[in-house]
Amino acid sequence: MNSQVKHFLIELLFDKKITFFPNTDNEQFWNTLVKISSFQVIIPAVYFKLKERDFLKKIPSDLKDYLFEIYSFNEKRNQSMVNEINNIEKVLADNKINFCFLKGSYLLRTIFKNNIGIRMMHDIDILVKEDQIYLAKNIIEKMNYKDRGFENKILKDKHIPRLINNEKNIGLEIHYKLTKGKKYFFNNDDLFKNNLMNSFSINDNLNHIILNTEYNDNGAILGRISLKSLFDFYHLNMINNDFDFNNNNYTKIFLNKLHFLKIVNNTESRSNFYIAYLNLINTRIGKIIPFIIFYFLRFKLLIGQLKEFTINKHYRINVFKKIMIYFGK
């Protein structure tokens, strides 16, 4: 059933012909659709595409009400986000800070600006020139954003610790680079040189969408497929439709996932080896491979967390608080 639901979601989200539309009384199918859509953080996008393609009348009425409720809540939430993004833009510009909006913050101002309820977002993300990072932090803190104190200090290698505005329930991450570790896929000077309306080029944004999910979040090595990232890429790429997938190995891997899901049909940069890997990890036995890789990566993270525990007093306090909550004290 899972594969049938996933196939339906791919056809729905990426404007393909629907080859199978379940009956309204197929409770197992619709429950699985909600489960997968929730896990993939795409429920509002699913509602929007069902409505856009005039399919709402073909789904259970209680499901239609549920999806509409989620979409409406997200639309109101995102309107608050957009208002805050505009406030932040003005304050940073007034203080001569060089910055660009990233990810959802960029998409809500561009391709989703007329339907802001489509995309769920957690934080406002901005890229700031590294020599202005703490000046930007001080300015943002005056807007009632606070460093919670217990955030990791040594594990954040793309951005400074997350800032929270508790009154507005909005988080903000100030990045000084776009990818983790020592690899540099972007030249920040070039990004800011091509800055237009506090955003970098469409192709740079497309590249960032890919690298964020495939490299930063280890999607490539785990074989993990993010329908949210694919949806973002698909709709942003429709503007020019000239993205070069030969930019790096991760963009090639992303293209192979588009092949694997049959979102695209051309054979450019197709890797039979990686397609075979995706097929393998979708078998019962093959599922153990990303499981092993994931826990190896978690072990590496744990080493960093132990180091953090030894140097960061606020981090230790927060760990002890979580332990006390776990044991009900």
Side-chain angles (χ1 to χ4, degrees), residues 56-170:
L56 287 176
K57 58 191 175 187
K58 299 180 69 174
I59 70 174
S61 58
D62 58 338
L63 175 61
K64 180 174 70 173
D65 293 342
Y66 173 75
L67 295 178
F68 173 73
E69 183 179 352
I70 298 295
Y71 182 88
S72 298
F73 174 84
N74 194 57
E75 186 175 42
K76 292 176 183 176
R77 161 80 173 166
N78 281 354
Q79 186 57 63
S80 298
M81 285 280 200
V82 169
N83 294 339
E84 190 66 1
I85 287 168
N86 292 337
N87 291 337
I88 290 168
E89 179 176 43
K90 184 178 186 312
V91 171
L92 292 180
D94 288 346
N95 285 275
K96 307 271 191 283
I97 300 294
N98 291 298
F99 69 98
C100 290
F101 288 109
L102 307 174
K103 299 190 286 187
S105 305
Y106 165 78
L107 296 171
L108 288 189
R109 289 159 55 90
T110 52
I111 58 171
F112 298 141
K113 66 181 179 182
N114 295 323
N115 298 286
I116 62 172
I118 295 177
R119 192 189 191 277
M120 301 190 84
M121 60 181 290
H122 186 54
D123 294 325
I124 295 172
D125 293 272
I126 59 174
L127 177 71
V128 172
K129 278 201 168 183
E130 192 164 0
D131 60 357
Q132 292 185 308
I133 195 84
Y134 287 104
L135 175 59
K137 179 178 184 287
N138 291 335
I139 292 167
I140 294 296
E141 285 181 331
K142 292 177 182 177
M143 299 178 69
N144 208 24
Y145 284 84
K146 306 297 181 186
D147 181 342
R148 294 182 295 178
F150 56 78
E151 291 276 8
N152 296 359
K153 304 301 180 187
I154 63 175
L155 298 181
K156 305 295 186 187
D157 62 353
K158 305 193 309 293
H159 57 81
I160 62 174
R162 188 167 173 254
L163 303 174
I164 303 292
N165 187 316
N166 288 318
E167 290 182 2
K168 297 181 179 180
N169 192 27
I170 293 176

